[in-house]
Amino acid sequence: MRMRDLEKASGIGRETIRFYIREGLLPEPVRTARNAALYDEEHLARLLAIRRLREDRYLPLGVIRVLLDAPPESGWDSPDILPHVDRLLRARLELTGEREPALAILADAPDPAGRLAELVEAGAIDVAADGTVSPRDARILRLLQDLGRLGFTRERGYAPEGLKRYVSAMRWLAETQVREFFRLTGPHVDETQAADMAERGLGYLIELMGELFMREVLAGIAARRARLAAQTERREEEGEKQGPLGQGRARRSR
C-alpha cells in the first residue's frame, strides 16, 4: 500500500509515520522510486499497535518501542501482570475533552505548518490524519506557545533540537518507571492498589522532578556567578601586579 492508504487505514498522519520510521518503531518501507515507497501489513499492524498502546494504555513511545521489540519471556510486560491497570489509570489520569485542530492552536505562530512539523519530528506530539491532536497534546502545544511568547524562540536560539532532548529524557524516565513498577509492584498488589500507587506516585514524581530541576538550575546559576567572580578577581590581581606603569601602557594602547 502507498502512504495515503496507510494513513487512511491507521488514522495516523504521514509526518508521524515518518517520525516512527526514523525512531525505529516501524521498519523502512520498500523504496520503488526516489519519492515513492510501498508499505505492507506489518507497517499497518505496528501502527495500530502503537496507536492502541498510546491511546488505551497511555504509554510513551520509549516504552512502546520496548514492548514491540522485547522477547515474550521478558516478563515485566506480561499480560498477566495487572492486565487492567492501564484502563484504571487512563480513566484517572487522561485529560478529557474533544480532539482539537493542531494548526488552530498554533495560529499565531510565524509559520504554523512548519512549527507543527518540527514538533511532530521532535516527538513532542502526535497528529492524526485529520490534523487533530489529543487533549493532552493540545495542552503541550499551548504550553510551548506560552514559552514562545515569553521569548523562548528559534530567533533566540531555542531550536527544536533542545525540545528533542527533553522528549528523550522523559521517554527514558518513563520507560524506566514503567518497567520498575510492573516488575517490582505488579506481583504484590491488586489492580486497585496498583492504580492508587501509580496515580499518587506520579504526582509525587512530577513534583520531585520539578524540585530536582529547580535545584540544578539554581546550582548552575551559582556556579556561573562563582566563575565570573573568580575571573574578575584574577583580572584585578593582574592589574595590581602591573602597577602604574602597566596601567599607563594599557591606557595608551586604548
Side-chain angles (χ1 to χ4, degrees), residues 4 12 30 39 47 55 68 83 94 102 121 123 154 162 169 176 207 213 221 226 247:
R4 62 176 176 271
I12 298 175
V30 176
Y39 303 83
L47 274 175
E55 296 181 357
L68 292 176
E94 186 59 284
E121 183 178 359
R154 174 187 285 277
T176 301
E207 186 175 353
F213 183 74
I221 292 173
Q247 293 175 5

PDB file of all heavy atoms in Angstrom, residues 4 12 30 39 47 55 68 83 94 102 121 123 154 162 169 176 207 213 221 226 247:
ATOM      1  N   ARG A   4      -0.686   7.184   1.424  1.00  0.00           N
ATOM      2  CA  ARG A   4      -2.042   7.674   1.656  1.00  0.00           C
ATOM      3  C   ARG A   4      -2.968   6.550   2.119  1.00  0.00           C
ATOM      4  O   ARG A   4      -3.882   6.766   2.923  1.00  0.00           O
ATOM      5  CB  ARG A   4      -2.587   8.342   0.396  1.00  0.00           C
ATOM      6  CG  ARG A   4      -2.713   7.450  -0.820  1.00  0.00           C
ATOM      7  CD  ARG A   4      -3.370   8.197  -1.988  1.00  0.00           C
ATOM      8  NE  ARG A   4      -3.413   7.395  -3.196  1.00  0.00           N
ATOM      9  CZ  ARG A   4      -2.453   7.352  -4.104  1.00  0.00           C
ATOM     10  NH1 ARG A   4      -1.363   8.093  -3.944  1.00  0.00           N
ATOM     11  NH2 ARG A   4      -2.562   6.594  -5.188  1.00  0.00           N
ATOM     12  N   ILE A  12      -3.368   7.631  11.231  1.00  0.00           N
ATOM     13  CA  ILE A  12      -2.175   8.348  11.688  1.00  0.00           C
ATOM     14  C   ILE A  12      -1.595   9.135  10.513  1.00  0.00           C
ATOM     15  O   ILE A  12      -1.477   8.602   9.407  1.00  0.00           O
ATOM     16  CB  ILE A  12      -1.125   7.376  12.259  1.00  0.00           C
ATOM     17  CG1 ILE A  12      -1.699   6.659  13.485  1.00  0.00           C
ATOM     18  CG2 ILE A  12       0.167   8.099  12.622  1.00  0.00           C
ATOM     19  CD1 ILE A  12      -0.799   5.590  14.044  1.00  0.00           C
ATOM     20  N   VAL A  30       9.575  -0.378   1.369  1.00  0.00           N
ATOM     21  CA  VAL A  30      10.253  -0.745   0.120  1.00  0.00           C
ATOM     22  C   VAL A  30      10.236   0.476  -0.797  1.00  0.00           C
ATOM     23  O   VAL A  30       9.168   0.977  -1.153  1.00  0.00           O
ATOM     24  CB  VAL A  30       9.545  -1.934  -0.564  1.00  0.00           C
ATOM     25  CG1 VAL A  30      10.206  -2.230  -1.904  1.00  0.00           C
ATOM     26  CG2 VAL A  30       9.572  -3.156   0.339  1.00  0.00           C
ATOM     27  N   TYR A  39       4.265   0.136   1.567  1.00  0.00           N
ATOM     28  CA  TYR A  39       4.157  -0.346   2.940  1.00  0.00           C
ATOM     29  C   TYR A  39       3.310  -1.611   2.942  1.00  0.00           C
ATOM     30  O   TYR A  39       2.420  -1.793   2.104  1.00  0.00           O
ATOM     31  CB  TYR A  39       3.520   0.731   3.822  1.00  0.00           C
ATOM     32  CG  TYR A  39       4.285   2.045   3.795  1.00  0.00           C
ATOM     33  CD1 TYR A  39       4.077   2.966   2.759  1.00  0.00           C
ATOM     34  CD2 TYR A  39       5.204   2.355   4.772  1.00  0.00           C
ATOM     35  CE1 TYR A  39       4.783   4.165   2.721  1.00  0.00           C
ATOM     36  CE2 TYR A  39       5.913   3.548   4.741  1.00  0.00           C
ATOM     37  CZ  TYR A  39       5.688   4.447   3.714  1.00  0.00           C
ATOM     38  OH  TYR A  39       6.385   5.629   3.666  1.00  0.00           O
ATOM     39  N   LEU A  47       1.588   0.086  13.404  1.00  0.00           N
ATOM     40  CA  LEU A  47       0.969   1.391  13.617  1.00  0.00           C
ATOM     41  C   LEU A  47      -0.271   1.282  14.503  1.00  0.00           C
ATOM     42  O   LEU A  47      -0.472   2.090  15.418  1.00  0.00           O
ATOM     43  CB  LEU A  47       0.593   2.019  12.277  1.00  0.00           C
ATOM     44  CG  LEU A  47       1.678   2.808  11.554  1.00  0.00           C
ATOM     45  CD1 LEU A  47       1.179   3.247  10.188  1.00  0.00           C
ATOM     46  CD2 LEU A  47       2.125   4.017  12.367  1.00  0.00           C
ATOM     47  N   GLU A  55      -3.073   5.286  23.082  1.00  0.00           N
ATOM     48  CA  GLU A  55      -4.389   5.793  23.446  1.00  0.00           C
ATOM     49  C   GLU A  55      -5.061   4.978  24.541  1.00  0.00           C
ATOM     50  O   GLU A  55      -5.776   5.534  25.376  1.00  0.00           O
ATOM     51  CB  GLU A  55      -5.282   5.850  22.206  1.00  0.00           C
ATOM     52  CG  GLU A  55      -4.784   6.821  21.142  1.00  0.00           C
ATOM     53  CD  GLU A  55      -5.693   6.893  19.938  1.00  0.00           C
ATOM     54  OE1 GLU A  55      -6.683   6.138  19.901  1.00  0.00           O
ATOM     55  OE2 GLU A  55      -5.413   7.706  19.039  1.00  0.00           O
ATOM     56  N   LEU A  68       7.227  -3.511  21.716  1.00  0.00           N
ATOM     57  CA  LEU A  68       7.158  -4.090  20.379  1.00  0.00           C
ATOM     58  C   LEU A  68       8.350  -4.989  20.078  1.00  0.00           C
ATOM     59  O   LEU A  68       8.218  -5.974  19.348  1.00  0.00           O
ATOM     60  CB  LEU A  68       7.092  -2.972  19.335  1.00  0.00           C
ATOM     61  CG  LEU A  68       5.808  -2.137  19.310  1.00  0.00           C
ATOM     62  CD1 LEU A  68       5.929  -1.022  18.295  1.00  0.00           C
ATOM     63  CD2 LEU A  68       4.593  -2.997  19.010  1.00  0.00           C
ATOM     64  N   PRO A  83      -3.435  -6.740  34.328  1.00  0.00           N
ATOM     65  CA  PRO A  83      -3.923  -6.567  32.948  1.00  0.00           C
ATOM     66  C   PRO A  83      -4.868  -5.393  32.748  1.00  0.00           C
ATOM     67  O   PRO A  83      -5.017  -4.909  31.629  1.00  0.00           O
ATOM     68  CB  PRO A  83      -4.625  -7.899  32.664  1.00  0.00           C
ATOM     69  CG  PRO A  83      -5.015  -8.417  34.008  1.00  0.00           C
ATOM     70  CD  PRO A  83      -3.921  -7.984  34.942  1.00  0.00           C
ATOM     71  N   GLU A  94      -6.024  10.548  32.266  1.00  0.00           N
ATOM     72  CA  GLU A  94      -6.135  11.141  30.940  1.00  0.00           C
ATOM     73  C   GLU A  94      -6.986  12.397  30.981  1.00  0.00           C
ATOM     74  O   GLU A  94      -7.982  12.472  31.712  1.00  0.00           O
ATOM     75  CB  GLU A  94      -6.739  10.132  29.958  1.00  0.00           C
ATOM     76  CG  GLU A  94      -6.766  10.615  28.513  1.00  0.00           C
ATOM     77  CD  GLU A  94      -5.374  10.950  27.983  1.00  0.00           C
ATOM     78  OE1 GLU A  94      -4.849  12.021  28.363  1.00  0.00           O
ATOM     79  OE2 GLU A  94      -4.821  10.155  27.219  1.00  0.00           O
ATOM     80  N   ALA A 102      -4.695  20.995  15.344  1.00  0.00           N
ATOM     81  CA  ALA A 102      -3.394  21.454  15.813  1.00  0.00           C
ATOM     82  C   ALA A 102      -3.044  22.831  15.262  1.00  0.00           C
ATOM     83  O   ALA A 102      -2.522  23.694  15.973  1.00  0.00           O
ATOM     84  CB  ALA A 102      -2.316  20.438  15.429  1.00  0.00           C
ATOM     85  N   GLU A 121       8.240  16.002  14.501  1.00  0.00           N
ATOM     86  CA  GLU A 121       9.553  15.385  14.311  1.00  0.00           C
ATOM     87  C   GLU A 121      10.299  15.247  15.631  1.00  0.00           C
ATOM     88  O   GLU A 121      11.018  14.261  15.859  1.00  0.00           O
ATOM     89  CB  GLU A 121      10.393  16.220  13.342  1.00  0.00           C
ATOM     90  CG  GLU A 121      11.748  15.594  13.033  1.00  0.00           C
ATOM     91  CD  GLU A 121      12.552  16.404  12.041  1.00  0.00           C
ATOM     92  OE1 GLU A 121      12.047  17.441  11.577  1.00  0.00           O
ATOM     93  OE2 GLU A 121      13.686  15.998  11.729  1.00  0.00           O
ATOM     94  N   GLY A 123       8.955  14.579  18.358  1.00  0.00           N
ATOM     95  CA  GLY A 123       8.287  13.573  19.177  1.00  0.00           C
ATOM     96  C   GLY A 123       7.463  14.164  20.302  1.00  0.00           C
ATOM     97  O   GLY A 123       7.022  13.440  21.201  1.00  0.00           O
ATOM     98  N   ARG A 154      12.951  30.414  18.265  1.00  0.00           N
ATOM     99  CA  ARG A 154      14.033  29.986  17.376  1.00  0.00           C
ATOM    100  C   ARG A 154      14.984  31.145  17.094  1.00  0.00           C
ATOM    101  O   ARG A 154      16.202  30.948  16.993  1.00  0.00           O
ATOM    102  CB  ARG A 154      13.438  29.443  16.070  1.00  0.00           C
ATOM    103  CG  ARG A 154      14.481  29.115  15.013  1.00  0.00           C
ATOM    104  CD  ARG A 154      13.834  28.740  13.708  1.00  0.00           C
ATOM    105  NE  ARG A 154      13.276  27.403  13.768  1.00  0.00           N
ATOM    106  CZ  ARG A 154      13.986  26.289  13.578  1.00  0.00           C
ATOM    107  NH1 ARG A 154      15.288  26.362  13.352  1.00  0.00           N
ATOM    108  NH2 ARG A 154      13.410  25.118  13.611  1.00  0.00           N
ATOM    109  N   GLY A 162      16.638  21.253  21.092  1.00  0.00           N
ATOM    110  CA  GLY A 162      16.543  21.349  22.548  1.00  0.00           C
ATOM    111  C   GLY A 162      15.323  20.623  23.074  1.00  0.00           C
ATOM    112  O   GLY A 162      15.381  19.935  24.098  1.00  0.00           O
ATOM    113  N   ALA A 169      14.658  12.570  27.303  1.00  0.00           N
ATOM    114  CA  ALA A 169      14.828  12.374  28.747  1.00  0.00           C
ATOM    115  C   ALA A 169      13.543  11.852  29.378  1.00  0.00           C
ATOM    116  O   ALA A 169      13.567  10.940  30.214  1.00  0.00           O
ATOM    117  CB  ALA A 169      15.250  13.686  29.409  1.00  0.00           C
ATOM    118  N   THR A 176      11.823   3.612  32.250  1.00  0.00           N
ATOM    119  CA  THR A 176      12.395   3.044  33.473  1.00  0.00           C
ATOM    120  C   THR A 176      11.339   2.871  34.549  1.00  0.00           C
ATOM    121  O   THR A 176      11.259   1.815  35.217  1.00  0.00           O
ATOM    122  CB  THR A 176      13.517   3.965  34.001  1.00  0.00           C
ATOM    123  OG1 THR A 176      14.521   4.101  32.998  1.00  0.00           O
ATOM    124  CG2 THR A 176      14.138   3.399  35.261  1.00  0.00           C
ATOM    125  N   GLU A 207       6.314  16.288  40.973  1.00  0.00           N
ATOM    126  CA  GLU A 207       6.751  17.332  41.901  1.00  0.00           C
ATOM    127  C   GLU A 207       8.235  17.184  42.219  1.00  0.00           C
ATOM    128  O   GLU A 207       8.971  18.177  42.283  1.00  0.00           O
ATOM    129  CB  GLU A 207       5.928  17.255  43.182  1.00  0.00           C
ATOM    130  CG  GLU A 207       6.207  18.400  44.146  1.00  0.00           C
ATOM    131  CD  GLU A 207       5.289  18.373  45.348  1.00  0.00           C
ATOM    132  OE1 GLU A 207       4.343  17.559  45.379  1.00  0.00           O
ATOM    133  OE2 GLU A 207       5.523  19.181  46.280  1.00  0.00           O
ATOM    134  N   PHE A 213      14.930  19.655  39.274  1.00  0.00           N
ATOM    135  CA  PHE A 213      15.302  20.520  38.159  1.00  0.00           C
ATOM    136  C   PHE A 213      15.608  21.933  38.649  1.00  0.00           C
ATOM    137  O   PHE A 213      16.610  22.543  38.254  1.00  0.00           O
ATOM    138  CB  PHE A 213      14.181  20.540  37.128  1.00  0.00           C
ATOM    139  CG  PHE A 213      14.491  21.344  35.893  1.00  0.00           C
ATOM    140  CD1 PHE A 213      15.370  20.861  34.942  1.00  0.00           C
ATOM    141  CD2 PHE A 213      13.907  22.579  35.681  1.00  0.00           C
ATOM    142  CE1 PHE A 213      15.670  21.599  33.805  1.00  0.00           C
ATOM    143  CE2 PHE A 213      14.199  23.324  34.556  1.00  0.00           C
ATOM    144  CZ  PHE A 213      15.082  22.828  33.610  1.00  0.00           C
ATOM    145  N   ILE A 221      23.316  28.448  38.093  1.00  0.00           N
ATOM    146  CA  ILE A 221      23.435  29.906  38.169  1.00  0.00           C
ATOM    147  C   ILE A 221      24.508  30.294  39.185  1.00  0.00           C
ATOM    148  O   ILE A 221      25.326  31.193  38.940  1.00  0.00           O
ATOM    149  CB  ILE A 221      22.076  30.520  38.544  1.00  0.00           C
ATOM    150  CG1 ILE A 221      21.078  30.322  37.391  1.00  0.00           C
ATOM    151  CG2 ILE A 221      22.226  32.004  38.870  1.00  0.00           C
ATOM    152  CD1 ILE A 221      19.671  30.747  37.727  1.00  0.00           C
ATOM    153  N   ALA A 226      30.037  32.210  40.462  1.00  0.00           N
ATOM    154  CA  ALA A 226      31.346  31.969  41.076  1.00  0.00           C
ATOM    155  C   ALA A 226      32.460  32.075  40.037  1.00  0.00           C
ATOM    156  O   ALA A 226      33.536  32.631  40.318  1.00  0.00           O
ATOM    157  CB  ALA A 226      31.353  30.599  41.753  1.00  0.00           C
ATOM    158  N   GLN A 247      49.391  50.047  33.913  1.00  0.00           N
ATOM    159  CA  GLN A 247      48.089  50.659  33.674  1.00  0.00           C
ATOM    160  C   GLN A 247      48.210  51.797  32.659  1.00  0.00           C
ATOM    161  O   GLN A 247      47.344  52.024  31.827  1.00  0.00           O
ATOM    162  CB  GLN A 247      47.532  51.176  34.995  1.00  0.00           C
ATOM    163  CG  GLN A 247      47.182  50.042  35.965  1.00  0.00           C
ATOM    164  CD  GLN A 247      46.735  50.572  37.313  1.00  0.00           C
ATOM    165  OE1 GLN A 247      46.586  51.786  37.502  1.00  0.00           O
ATOM    166  NE2 GLN A 247      46.529  49.675  38.251  1.00  0.00           N
TER     167      GLN A 247
END
